[in-house]
Coordinates of all heavy atoms in Angstrom, one line a residue:
M1 N -32.0 44.7 -93.4 CA -32.1 44.1 -92.0 C -33.2 44.5 -91.3 O -33.7 45.6 -91.4 CB -30.8 44.5 -91.3 CG -29.5 43.9 -91.8 SD -29.5 42.2 -91.4 CE -28.4 41.7 -92.6
N2 N -33.8 43.7 -90.5 CA -35.0 44.1 -89.8 C -34.6 44.7 -88.4 O -33.4 44.5 -87.8 CB -36.0 43.0 -89.6 CG -35.4 41.8 -89.0 OD1 -34.5 41.8 -88.1 ND2 -35.9 40.6 -89.3
D3 N -35.5 45.2 -87.6 CA -35.3 45.9 -86.5 C -34.8 44.8 -85.3 O -34.0 45.2 -84.5 CB -36.5 46.7 -85.9 CG -36.8 47.9 -86.7 OD1 -35.8 48.4 -87.4 OD2 -37.9 48.2 -86.8
W4 N -35.4 43.6 -85.4 CA -35.0 42.6 -84.4 C -33.5 42.4 -84.5 O -32.9 42.2 -83.5 CB -35.8 41.4 -84.7 CG -35.3 40.2 -83.9 CD1 -35.6 39.9 -82.7 CD2 -34.5 39.2 -84.4 NE1 -35.0 38.7 -82.2 CE2 -34.2 38.2 -83.3 CE3 -33.9 38.9 -85.6 CZ2 -33.5 37.1 -83.3 CZ3 -33.0 37.7 -85.7 CH2 -33.0 36.9 -84.6
Y5 N -33.0 42.2 -85.7 CA -31.6 41.9 -85.9 C -30.7 43.1 -85.4 O -29.7 42.8 -84.7 CB -31.3 41.6 -87.3 CG -29.8 41.3 -87.6 CD1 -29.3 40.0 -87.2 CD2 -28.9 42.2 -88.1 CE1 -27.9 39.8 -87.5 CE2 -27.6 42.1 -88.4 CZ -27.0 40.7 -88.0 OH -25.8 40.5 -88.1
R6 N -31.1 44.3 -85.7 CA -30.3 45.5 -85.2 C -30.2 45.6 -83.7 O -29.2 46.2 -83.2 CB -30.9 46.6 -85.7 CG -30.7 46.9 -87.3 CD -31.3 48.3 -87.7 NE -31.2 48.3 -89.1 CZ -32.2 48.1 -90.0 NH1 -33.4 47.9 -89.5 NH2 -32.1 48.1 -91.3
Q7 N -31.2 45.0 -83.0 CA -31.2 45.1 -81.6 C -30.4 43.9 -80.9 O -30.2 44.0 -79.6 CB -32.7 45.0 -81.1 CG -33.4 46.3 -81.5 CD -34.8 46.2 -81.1 OE1 -35.3 45.4 -80.6 NE2 -35.6 47.3 -81.4
L8 N -30.0 42.9 -81.6 CA -29.3 41.8 -81.1 C -27.9 42.3 -80.5 O -27.3 43.1 -81.2 CB -29.0 40.7 -82.0 CG -30.1 39.9 -82.6 CD1 -29.7 38.9 -83.6 CD2 -30.8 39.2 -81.3
Q9 N -27.4 41.7 -79.5 CA -26.1 42.0 -79.1 C -25.0 41.2 -80.0 O -25.1 40.0 -80.1 CB -25.8 41.5 -77.6 CG -25.8 42.5 -76.6 CD -25.6 42.0 -75.2 OE1 -26.1 41.0 -74.8 NE2 -24.5 42.5 -74.7
R10 N -24.3 42.0 -80.7 CA -23.3 41.3 -81.6 C -21.9 41.6 -81.3 O -21.7 42.6 -80.6 CB -23.6 41.9 -83.0 CG -24.9 41.5 -83.6 CD -25.2 41.9 -84.9 NE -25.7 43.3 -84.8 CZ -25.8 44.1 -85.7 NH1 -25.5 43.8 -87.0 NH2 -26.3 45.4 -85.6
P11 N -21.0 40.8 -81.7 CA -19.6 40.9 -81.3 C -19.1 42.2 -82.0 O -19.6 42.6 -83.0 CB -18.8 39.7 -81.8 CG -19.9 38.8 -82.4 CD -21.2 39.5 -82.4
P12 N -18.0 42.7 -81.4 CA -17.5 44.0 -81.9 C -17.0 43.8 -83.4 O -16.9 44.8 -84.1 CB -16.2 44.3 -81.0 CG -16.3 43.3 -79.9 CD -17.3 42.2 -80.3
L13 N -16.6 42.6 -83.9 CA -16.1 42.5 -85.2 C -17.2 42.1 -86.3 O -16.9 41.8 -87.3 CB -15.0 41.4 -85.2 CG -13.7 41.9 -84.4 CD1 -12.7 40.8 -84.5 CD2 -13.1 43.1 -85.0
S14 N -18.4 42.3 -85.8 CA -19.5 42.0 -86.7 C -19.5 42.9 -87.8 O -19.2 44.1 -87.7 CB -21.0 42.1 -86.0 OG -21.0 41.1 -85.1
P15 N -19.7 42.5 -89.1 CA -19.8 43.4 -90.3 C -20.9 44.4 -90.2 O -22.0 44.0 -89.5 CB -19.9 42.4 -91.4 CG -20.5 41.1 -91.0 CD -20.0 41.1 -89.5
P16 N -20.8 45.5 -90.8 CA -22.0 46.4 -90.8 C -23.2 45.8 -91.7 O -23.1 45.1 -92.4 CB -21.4 47.7 -91.5 CG -20.3 47.2 -92.3 CD -19.7 45.9 -91.6
D17 N -24.4 46.3 -91.2 CA -25.7 45.7 -91.7 C -25.6 45.9 -93.2 O -26.2 45.0 -94.0 CB -26.8 46.5 -91.1 CG -27.0 46.2 -89.6 OD1 -26.4 45.2 -89.2 OD2 -27.8 46.8 -89.0
W18 N -25.2 47.0 -93.8 CA -25.3 47.3 -95.2 C -24.5 46.3 -96.1 O -24.8 46.2 -97.3 CB -24.9 48.8 -95.6 CG -23.3 49.0 -95.4 CD1 -22.8 49.4 -94.1 CD2 -22.3 48.7 -96.1 NE1 -21.4 49.6 -94.2 CE2 -21.1 49.1 -95.5 CE3 -22.2 48.2 -97.4 CZ2 -19.8 48.9 -96.0 CZ3 -20.9 48.0 -97.9 CH2 -19.7 48.4 -97.3
I19 N -23.6 45.6 -95.6 CA -22.8 44.6 -96.4 C -23.5 43.3 -96.7 O -23.1 42.7 -97.7 CB -21.5 44.4 -95.6 CG1 -20.4 43.9 -96.7 CG2 -21.5 43.4 -94.5 CD1 -19.9 44.9 -97.6
F20 N -24.5 42.9 -96.0 CA -25.2 41.7 -96.1 C -25.8 41.5 -97.5 O -25.6 40.4 -98.1 CB -26.1 41.4 -95.0 CG -25.4 41.1 -93.7 CD1 -25.2 42.0 -92.7 CD2 -25.0 39.7 -93.4 CE1 -24.6 41.7 -91.5 CE2 -24.3 39.3 -92.3 CZ -24.2 40.4 -91.3
S21 N -26.5 42.4 -97.9 CA -27.2 42.4 -99.2 C -26.3 42.2 -100.3 O -26.5 41.2 -101.1 CB -28.2 43.7 -99.3 OG -29.3 43.5 -98.6
P22 N -25.3 43.0 -100.5 CA -24.4 42.8 -101.7 C -23.6 41.5 -101.6 O -23.4 40.8 -102.6 CB -23.4 44.0 -101.7 CG -23.6 44.7 -100.4 CD -25.0 44.3 -99.9
V23 N -23.2 41.1 -100.4 CA -22.5 39.8 -100.2 C -23.3 38.7 -100.6 O -22.8 37.9 -101.3 CB -21.7 39.8 -98.8 CG1 -21.3 38.4 -98.6 CG2 -20.7 40.8 -98.6
W24 N -24.5 38.6 -100.0 CA -25.3 37.5 -100.3 C -25.8 37.4 -101.7 O -26.0 36.4 -102.3 CB -26.6 37.4 -99.3 CG -26.1 36.9 -98.1 CD1 -25.9 37.7 -97.0 CD2 -25.9 35.5 -97.6 NE1 -25.5 36.8 -95.9 CE2 -25.5 35.5 -96.4 CE3 -25.9 34.3 -98.4 CZ2 -25.3 34.3 -95.7 CZ3 -25.7 33.2 -97.8 CH2 -25.3 33.2 -96.5
T25 N -25.9 38.6 -102.4 CA -26.3 38.6 -103.8 C -25.2 38.0 -104.6 O -25.4 37.2 -105.4 CB -26.7 40.0 -104.3 OG1 -27.7 40.5 -103.5 CG2 -27.0 40.1 -105.7
V26 N -24.0 38.5 -104.3 CA -22.7 37.9 -105.1 C -22.6 36.5 -104.9 O -22.3 35.7 -105.8 CB -21.5 38.8 -104.7 CG1 -20.3 38.1 -105.2 CG2 -21.6 40.2 -105.2
L27 N -22.8 36.1 -103.6 CA -22.6 34.6 -103.3 C -23.7 33.8 -104.0 O -23.2 32.8 -104.7 CB -23.0 34.4 -101.7 CG -22.9 33.0 -101.3 CD1 -21.5 32.4 -101.4 CD2 -23.3 33.0 -99.8
Y28 N -24.8 34.2 -104.1 CA -25.9 33.4 -104.8 C -25.7 33.5 -106.4 O -25.9 32.5 -107.1 CB -27.3 33.8 -104.5 CG -27.7 33.1 -103.2 CD1 -27.7 33.8 -102.0 CD2 -28.0 31.8 -103.1 CE1 -28.0 33.1 -100.7 CE2 -28.4 31.0 -102.0 CZ -28.3 31.7 -100.8 OH -28.7 31.1 -99.8
V29 N -25.1 34.6 -106.9 CA -24.8 34.6 -108.3 C -23.6 33.6 -108.6 O -23.7 32.9 -109.6 CB -24.4 36.2 -108.7 CG1 -23.8 36.1 -110.1 CG2 -25.8 36.9 -108.6
M30 N -22.6 33.6 -107.7 CA -21.6 32.7 -107.8 C -22.0 31.3 -107.8 O -21.6 30.4 -108.6 CB -20.5 33.0 -106.8 CG -19.7 34.3 -107.2 SD -18.7 34.9 -105.8 CE -17.4 33.6 -105.7
I31 N -22.9 31.0 -106.9 CA -23.4 29.6 -106.9 C -24.1 29.3 -108.1 O -24.0 28.2 -108.7 CB -24.4 29.5 -105.6 CG1 -23.5 29.5 -104.3 CG2 -25.1 28.1 -105.8 CD1 -24.4 29.6 -103.0
A32 N -25.0 30.2 -108.6 CA -25.6 29.9 -109.9 C -24.7 29.7 -111.0 O -24.8 28.8 -111.8 CB -26.6 31.1 -110.1
V33 N -23.6 30.5 -111.1 CA -22.7 30.4 -112.2 C -21.9 29.0 -112.1 O -21.8 28.2 -113.1 CB -21.7 31.5 -112.2 CG1 -20.5 31.2 -113.1 CG2 -22.4 32.9 -112.6
A34 N -21.6 28.7 -110.9 CA -20.9 27.3 -110.6 C -21.9 26.2 -111.1 O -21.5 25.1 -111.7 CB -20.6 27.2 -109.2
I35 N -23.1 26.3 -110.7 CA -24.1 25.2 -111.2 C -24.2 25.1 -112.6 O -24.2 24.0 -113.2 CB -25.5 25.4 -110.4 CG1 -25.4 25.3 -108.9 CG2 -26.6 24.7 -111.1 CD1 -26.6 25.7 -108.2
V36 N -24.3 26.3 -113.2 CA -24.4 26.3 -114.7 C -23.2 25.7 -115.4 O -23.2 24.9 -116.3 CB -24.7 27.7 -115.3 CG1 -24.5 27.7 -116.7 CG2 -26.1 28.2 -114.9
L37 N -22.0 26.1 -114.9 CA -20.7 25.5 -115.4 C -20.6 24.1 -115.2 O -20.2 23.3 -116.1 CB -19.5 26.3 -114.8 CG -19.4 27.8 -115.2 CD1 -18.2 28.5 -114.4 CD2 -19.2 27.9 -116.8
Y38 N -21.0 23.6 -114.1 CA -20.9 22.2 -113.7 C -21.8 21.4 -114.8 O -21.3 20.4 -115.4 CB -21.3 21.8 -112.4 CG -21.4 20.3 -112.1 CD1 -20.3 19.7 -111.9 CD2 -22.6 19.8 -112.0 CE1 -20.3 18.2 -111.7 CE2 -22.7 18.3 -111.8 CZ -21.5 17.7 -111.8 OH -21.7 16.2 -111.5
Y39 N -23.1 21.8 -114.9 CA -23.9 21.0 -115.7 C -23.6 21.2 -117.1 O -24.1 20.3 -118.0 CB -25.5 21.4 -115.4 CG -25.9 20.7 -114.2 CD1 -26.0 21.5 -113.0 CD2 -26.0 19.4 -114.0 CE1 -26.5 21.0 -111.8 CE2 -26.5 18.8 -112.9 CZ -26.6 19.6 -111.7 OH -27.0 18.9 -110.5
R40 N -22.9 22.2 -117.6 CA -22.6 22.3 -119.0 C -21.3 21.6 -119.4 O -20.9 21.4 -120.5 CB -22.4 23.8 -119.4 CG -23.8 24.5 -119.4 CD -23.7 26.0 -119.8 NE -23.4 25.9 -121.1 CZ -23.1 27.2 -121.8 NH1 -23.0 28.3 -121.1 NH2 -22.8 27.2 -123.1
A41 N -20.5 21.2 -118.4 CA -19.3 20.6 -118.5 C -19.4 19.2 -119.1 O -20.4 18.5 -118.8 CB -18.5 20.3 -117.2
P42 N -18.7 18.8 -120.1 CA -18.9 17.5 -120.9 C -18.4 16.3 -120.1 O -18.9 15.2 -120.3 CB -18.0 17.6 -122.1 CG -17.0 18.6 -121.8 CD -17.6 19.6 -120.7
D43 N -17.6 16.5 -119.2 CA -17.0 15.4 -118.4 C -17.4 15.4 -116.8 O -16.6 15.0 -116.0 CB -15.4 15.3 -118.5 CG -14.9 16.5 -118.0 OD1 -15.6 17.5 -117.8 OD2 -13.6 16.6 -117.8
K44 N -18.6 15.7 -116.6 CA -19.0 15.7 -115.2 C -19.2 14.4 -114.7 O -19.6 13.6 -115.4 CB -20.2 16.7 -115.0 CG -21.4 16.2 -115.8 CD -22.5 17.2 -115.7 CE -23.7 17.0 -116.7 NZ -23.4 17.4 -118.0
T45 N -18.9 14.2 -113.4 CA -19.0 13.0 -112.6 C -20.0 13.3 -111.4 O -20.2 14.3 -110.9 CB -17.7 12.4 -112.2 OG1 -17.1 13.4 -111.3 CG2 -16.8 12.2 -113.4
W46 N -20.5 12.2 -110.8 CA -21.2 12.1 -109.7 C -22.5 13.2 -109.8 O -22.8 13.9 -108.9 CB -20.4 12.6 -108.4 CG -19.3 11.8 -108.2 CD1 -18.1 11.6 -108.8 CD2 -19.3 10.9 -107.0 NE1 -17.3 10.7 -108.2 CE2 -18.1 10.1 -107.0 CE3 -20.2 10.5 -106.1 CZ2 -17.7 9.3 -106.2 CZ3 -19.8 9.5 -105.2 CH2 -18.6 8.9 -105.2
V47 N -23.2 13.1 -110.9 CA -24.3 14.0 -111.2 C -25.4 13.9 -110.2 O -25.9 15.0 -109.6 CB -24.8 13.8 -112.6 CG1 -26.0 14.7 -112.9 CG2 -23.8 14.0 -113.7
K48 N -25.9 12.7 -109.8 CA -26.9 12.6 -108.8 C -26.5 13.0 -107.5 O -27.3 13.8 -106.8 CB -27.4 11.2 -108.8 CG -28.2 10.7 -110.0 CD -28.7 9.3 -109.9 CE -29.4 8.9 -111.2 NZ -30.0 7.5 -111.0
A49 N -25.3 12.7 -107.1 CA -24.9 13.1 -105.7 C -24.6 14.6 -105.7 O -25.0 15.3 -104.8 CB -23.6 12.4 -105.4
T50 N -24.0 15.3 -106.7 CA -23.8 16.7 -106.9 C -25.2 17.4 -106.8 O -25.3 18.4 -106.1 CB -23.1 17.0 -108.1 OG1 -21.9 16.3 -108.1 CG2 -22.9 18.5 -108.3
T51 N -26.2 17.0 -107.6 CA -27.6 17.6 -107.5 C -28.1 17.5 -106.2 O -28.7 18.5 -105.7 CB -28.4 16.9 -108.7 OG1 -27.8 16.9 -109.9 CG2 -29.8 17.5 -108.6
A52 N -28.0 16.4 -105.5 CA -28.6 16.2 -104.2 C -27.9 17.0 -103.2 O -28.6 17.7 -102.4 CB -28.5 14.8 -103.7
L53 N -26.7 17.2 -103.2 CA -25.9 18.1 -102.3 C -26.2 19.5 -102.6 O -26.3 20.3 -101.7 CB -24.4 17.8 -102.5 CG -23.9 16.5 -101.9 CD1 -22.5 16.2 -102.2 CD2 -24.2 16.4 -100.4
L54 N -26.2 20.0 -103.9 CA -26.6 21.3 -104.2 C -28.0 21.6 -103.7 O -28.2 22.7 -103.0 CB -26.5 21.5 -105.6 CG -25.2 21.7 -106.3 CD1 -25.3 21.6 -107.8 CD2 -24.5 22.9 -105.8
A55 N -29.0 20.8 -103.8 CA -30.3 20.9 -103.3 C -30.4 21.1 -101.8 O -31.0 21.9 -101.3 CB -31.2 19.9 -103.8
A56 N -29.7 20.1 -101.2 CA -29.7 20.2 -99.7 C -29.0 21.5 -99.2 O -29.5 22.1 -98.2 CB -28.9 19.0 -99.2
H57 N -27.8 21.9 -99.9 CA -27.2 23.1 -99.5 C -28.2 24.3 -99.6 O -28.3 25.1 -98.7 CB -26.0 23.3 -100.3 CG -25.3 24.6 -100.1 ND1 -24.6 24.9 -98.9 CD2 -25.3 25.7 -100.8 CE1 -24.1 26.0 -98.9 NE2 -24.4 26.5 -100.1
L58 N -28.8 24.5 -100.7 CA -29.6 25.6 -100.9 C -30.9 25.6 -100.0 O -31.2 26.6 -99.5 CB -30.1 25.7 -102.4 CG -29.0 26.1 -103.4 CD1 -29.4 25.9 -104.9 CD2 -28.4 27.4 -103.1
I59 N -31.4 24.4 -99.8 CA -32.6 24.4 -99.0 C -32.2 24.7 -97.5 O -32.9 25.3 -96.8 CB -33.2 22.9 -99.1 CG1 -34.0 22.8 -100.4 CG2 -34.2 22.6 -98.0 CD1 -34.3 21.3 -100.8
S60 N -31.1 24.2 -97.1 CA -30.6 24.5 -95.8 C -30.3 26.0 -95.5 O -30.6 26.5 -94.5 CB -29.5 23.6 -95.3 OG -28.3 24.0 -96.0
N61 N -29.8 26.6 -96.6 CA -29.7 28.1 -96.5 C -31.0 28.8 -96.3 O -31.0 29.7 -95.5 CB -28.9 28.6 -97.8 CG -27.6 28.4 -97.7 OD1 -26.9 28.2 -96.6 ND2 -26.8 28.6 -98.9
F62 N -32.0 28.4 -97.1 CA -33.3 29.0 -96.9 C -33.9 28.8 -95.6 O -34.5 29.6 -95.0 CB -34.1 28.6 -98.1 CG -33.8 29.2 -99.4 CD1 -33.4 28.4 -100.5 CD2 -33.8 30.6 -99.6 CE1 -33.1 29.0 -101.6 CE2 -33.4 31.2 -100.9 CZ -33.1 30.4 -101.8
I63 N -33.7 27.5 -95.1 CA -34.4 27.1 -93.8 C -33.6 28.0 -92.8 O -34.4 28.5 -91.8 CB -34.2 25.6 -93.6 CG1 -35.3 24.9 -94.4 CG2 -34.5 25.3 -92.1 CD1 -35.1 23.4 -94.5
W64 N -32.3 28.0 -92.8 CA -31.7 28.8 -91.8 C -32.2 30.2 -91.8 O -32.3 30.8 -90.7 CB -30.1 28.8 -92.1 CG -29.4 29.5 -91.1 CD1 -28.8 28.9 -89.9 CD2 -29.0 30.9 -90.9 NE1 -28.2 29.9 -89.2 CE2 -28.3 31.2 -89.7 CE3 -29.3 31.9 -91.8 CZ2 -27.9 32.4 -89.3 CZ3 -28.9 33.3 -91.4 CH2 -28.1 33.5 -90.2
T65 N -32.2 30.9 -92.9 CA -32.7 32.3 -93.0 C -34.1 32.4 -92.4 O -34.4 33.4 -91.6 CB -32.7 32.7 -94.4 OG1 -31.4 32.7 -95.0 CG2 -33.2 34.2 -94.5
W66 N -35.0 31.4 -92.6 CA -36.4 31.5 -92.1 C -36.3 31.3 -90.5 O -37.0 32.0 -89.8 CB -37.1 30.5 -92.7 CG -38.6 30.3 -92.1 CD1 -39.6 31.2 -92.2 CD2 -39.0 29.3 -91.3 NE1 -40.7 30.8 -91.5 CE2 -40.4 29.6 -90.9 CE3 -38.6 28.1 -90.8 CZ2 -41.2 28.8 -90.1 CZ3 -39.3 27.3 -90.0 CH2 -40.7 27.7 -89.7
L67 N -35.4 30.5 -90.1 CA -35.4 30.2 -88.6 C -34.8 31.3 -87.9 O -35.2 31.8 -86.8 CB -34.6 28.9 -88.3 CG -35.0 27.6 -88.7 CD1 -34.0 26.5 -88.6 CD2 -36.4 27.3 -87.9
F68 N -33.7 31.9 -88.5 CA -33.0 33.1 -87.8 C -33.9 34.3 -87.9 O -34.0 35.0 -86.8 CB -31.6 33.2 -88.4 CG -30.7 34.1 -87.7 CD1 -30.0 33.8 -86.6 CD2 -30.7 35.6 -88.0 CE1 -29.2 34.6 -85.9 CE2 -30.0 36.4 -87.3 CZ -29.1 35.9 -86.3
F69 N -34.3 34.7 -89.0 CA -35.0 35.9 -89.3 C -36.4 35.8 -89.1 O -37.1 36.7 -88.5 CB -34.7 36.6 -90.6 CG -33.2 37.2 -90.7 CD1 -32.2 36.3 -91.4 CD2 -32.8 38.3 -90.0 CE1 -30.9 36.9 -91.5 CE2 -31.5 38.7 -90.1 CZ -30.5 38.0 -90.8
G70 N -37.0 34.8 -89.7 CA -38.4 34.6 -89.5 C -38.9 34.3 -88.2 O -40.0 35.0 -87.7
L71 N -38.4 33.2 -87.6 CA -38.8 32.9 -86.3 C -38.1 33.6 -85.1 O -38.3 33.4 -83.9 CB -38.7 31.3 -86.1 CG -39.5 30.5 -86.9 CD1 -39.3 29.0 -86.5 CD2 -41.0 30.8 -86.7
R72 N -37.0 34.4 -85.6 CA -36.2 35.0 -84.6 C -35.6 34.2 -83.6 O -35.5 34.4 -82.5 CB -37.0 36.3 -84.1 CG -37.4 37.2 -85.1 CD -38.1 38.3 -84.4 NE -38.5 39.3 -85.4 CZ -39.2 40.4 -85.3 NH1 -39.6 40.6 -84.0 NH2 -39.5 41.2 -86.2
S73 N -35.0 33.0 -84.1 CA -34.4 32.1 -83.2 C -33.0 31.8 -83.5 O -32.8 30.7 -84.2 CB -35.4 30.8 -83.2 OG -34.8 29.8 -82.3
P74 N -32.1 32.5 -83.0 CA -30.7 32.2 -83.5 C -30.2 30.8 -82.8 O -29.5 30.1 -83.6 CB -29.9 33.3 -82.6 CG -30.8 34.4 -82.4 CD -32.1 33.8 -82.3
G75 N -30.7 30.4 -81.8 CA -30.4 29.0 -81.3 C -30.9 27.9 -82.1 O -30.1 27.0 -82.4
L76 N -32.1 28.0 -82.5 CA -32.6 27.1 -83.4 C -31.9 26.9 -84.8 O -31.6 26.0 -85.3 CB -34.1 27.2 -83.6 CG -34.9 26.1 -84.3 CD1 -34.8 24.8 -83.6 CD2 -36.4 26.5 -84.3
A77 N -31.6 28.1 -85.2 CA -30.9 28.2 -86.6 C -29.4 27.7 -86.4 O -29.0 27.1 -87.4 CB -30.8 29.7 -86.9
L78 N -28.9 27.7 -85.2 CA -27.6 27.3 -85.1 C -27.5 25.7 -85.2 O -26.6 25.1 -85.8 CB -27.0 27.6 -83.7 CG -25.7 27.2 -83.3 CD1 -24.5 27.8 -84.2 CD2 -25.3 27.5 -81.9
V79 N -28.6 25.0 -84.7 CA -28.5 23.5 -84.7 C -29.3 22.9 -85.8 O -29.3 21.7 -86.1 CB -29.0 23.0 -83.3 CG1 -28.0 23.5 -82.3 CG2 -30.5 23.4 -83.0
A80 N -30.4 23.6 -86.3 CA -31.3 23.1 -87.2 C -31.0 22.9 -88.7 O -31.7 22.1 -89.4 CB -32.7 23.7 -87.1
P81 N -30.1 23.5 -89.3 CA -30.0 23.5 -90.7 C -29.6 22.1 -91.3 O -29.8 21.8 -92.4 CB -28.9 24.5 -91.0 CG -28.7 25.3 -90.0 CD -29.2 24.5 -88.8
G82 N -29.2 21.2 -90.4 CA -28.9 19.8 -90.9 C -27.5 19.8 -91.2 O -26.7 20.4 -90.7
P83 N -27.1 18.7 -92.0 CA -25.8 18.4 -92.3 C -25.1 19.6 -93.0 O -25.6 20.3 -93.9 CB -25.7 17.2 -93.2 CG -27.1 17.2 -93.8 CD -28.0 17.9 -92.8
R84 N -23.7 19.8 -92.6 CA -23.0 20.8 -93.4 C -22.1 19.9 -94.4 O -21.5 19.0 -94.0 CB -22.1 21.6 -92.4 CG -22.9 22.6 -91.7 CD -22.4 22.6 -90.3 NE -23.3 23.7 -89.5 CZ -24.3 23.3 -88.7 NH1 -24.7 22.1 -88.8 NH2 -25.0 24.3 -88.1
V85 N -22.1 20.4 -95.6 CA -21.4 19.7 -96.6 C -20.0 20.4 -97.1 O -20.0 21.6 -97.1 CB -22.2 19.6 -97.9 CG1 -21.4 18.7 -99.0 CG2 -23.6 18.9 -97.5
T86 N -19.0 19.4 -97.0 CA -17.8 20.0 -97.5 C -17.1 19.1 -98.5 O -17.6 17.9 -98.7 CB -16.7 20.2 -96.2 OG1 -15.6 20.8 -96.7 CG2 -16.5 18.9 -95.5
K87 N -16.1 19.5 -99.1 CA -15.3 18.7 -100.0 C -14.0 18.3 -99.5 O -13.2 19.3 -99.4 CB -15.2 19.3 -101.4 CG -16.5 19.7 -102.1 CD -17.0 18.4 -102.8 CE -16.3 18.3 -104.2 NZ -16.8 17.2 -104.9
Q88 N -13.7 17.1 -99.1 CA -12.5 16.7 -98.6 C -11.6 16.3 -99.7 O -10.4 16.7 -99.6 CB -12.8 15.6 -97.6 CG -11.5 15.1 -97.0 CD -11.6 13.9 -96.1 OE1 -12.6 13.1 -96.3 NE2 -10.9 13.7 -95.0
M89 N -12.0 15.6 -100.7 CA -11.2 15.3 -101.9 C -12.0 15.5 -103.1 O -13.3 15.4 -102.9 CB -10.9 13.8 -101.7 CG -10.0 13.5 -100.5 SD -9.8 11.7 -100.2 CE -9.4 11.1 -101.9
P90 N -11.5 15.7 -104.2 CA -12.2 15.8 -105.5 C -13.1 14.7 -105.7 O -12.7 13.5 -105.6 CB -11.1 16.0 -106.5 CG -9.9 16.5 -105.8 CD -10.0 15.8 -104.4
G91 N -14.3 14.9 -105.9 CA -15.4 13.8 -106.1 C -15.8 13.0 -104.9 O -16.5 12.1 -105.1
R92 N -15.4 13.4 -103.8 CA -15.7 12.7 -102.6 C -16.4 13.6 -101.5 O -15.8 14.2 -100.7 CB -14.5 12.0 -101.9 CG -13.7 11.3 -102.7 CD -14.1 9.9 -102.7 NE -13.2 9.0 -103.5 CZ -13.5 7.8 -103.8 NH1 -14.5 7.2 -103.2 NH2 -12.7 7.1 -104.4
P93 N -17.6 13.8 -101.7 CA -18.3 14.6 -100.7 C -18.5 14.1 -99.3 O -18.5 12.8 -99.2 CB -19.7 14.8 -101.3 CG -19.9 13.7 -102.1 CD -18.6 13.3 -102.7
V94 N -18.2 14.9 -98.3 CA -18.3 14.5 -96.9 C -19.4 15.2 -96.2 O -19.4 16.3 -96.2 CB -16.9 14.6 -96.3 CG1 -17.0 14.2 -94.8 CG2 -15.8 13.9 -97.0
I95 N -20.3 14.5 -95.5 CA -21.3 15.0 -94.6 C -20.8 15.2 -93.3 O -20.5 14.2 -92.7 CB -22.6 14.2 -94.8 CG1 -23.0 13.9 -96.2 CG2 -23.6 14.9 -93.9 CD1 -23.5 15.1 -97.0
L96 N -20.8 16.3 -92.7 CA -20.4 16.6 -91.4 C -21.6 16.8 -90.4 O -22.6 17.4 -90.9 CB -19.6 17.8 -91.2 CG -18.2 17.8 -92.2 CD1 -17.6 19.1 -92.1 CD2 -17.4 16.7 -91.7
P97 N -21.5 16.3 -89.2 CA -22.6 16.5 -88.4 C -22.7 18.0 -87.9 O -21.9 18.8 -88.0 CB -22.2 15.6 -87.1 CG -20.8 15.3 -87.2 CD -20.4 15.6 -88.7

């Protein structure tokens, strides 16, 4: 964590600074494993849509990090990452505003 982040006023239930690195490392390893398992599956569906959503998700994560930590703009990071993607039903991605 950088000094700017440490000086922000954070809610009392904010996790400690030391937890972010291991949690984000595990998260990205799990994302990578899921991607590998999906592309190795013999009966995968919606390949182009899945690839596009994965790319949009990863790009938006990197953009958010740059906006929040690089530009030090929590407000811009809150609104700028673009669509948030969720799975409402199997095989039916939904883009939320």
Side-chain angles (χ1 to χ4, degrees):
M1 290 289 152
N2 59 29
D3 292 332
W4 170 80
Y5 179 78
R6 287 187 189 98
Q7 294 173 2
L8 289 176
Q9 257 187 302
R10 292 179 280 169
L13 295 177
S14 291
D17 293 348
W18 63 267
I19 198 73
F20 286 97
S21 290
V23 166
W24 281 100
T25 301
V26 169
L27 176 66
Y28 277 102
V29 167
M30 290 171 58
I31 290 170
V33 168
I35 290 169
V36 168
L37 290 175
Y38 173 76
Y39 284 108
R40 291 180 70 188
D43 58 345
K44 58 187 168 281
T45 58
W46 296 78
V47 176
K48 288 182 182 180
T50 301
T51 302
L53 290 173
L54 285 169
H57 175 73
L58 291 173
I59 290 168
S60 69
N61 278 346
F62 289 119
I63 289 172
W64 184 91
T65 301
W66 176 72
L67 292 171
F68 189 88
F69 290 106
L71 294 183
R72 298 179 177 182
S73 179
L76 190 56
L78 181 65
V79 297
R84 284 141 181 95
V85 178
T86 185
K87 294 284 275 183
Q88 183 180 24
M89 297 168 50
R92 304 272 183 184
V94 177
I95 307 294
L96 300 175

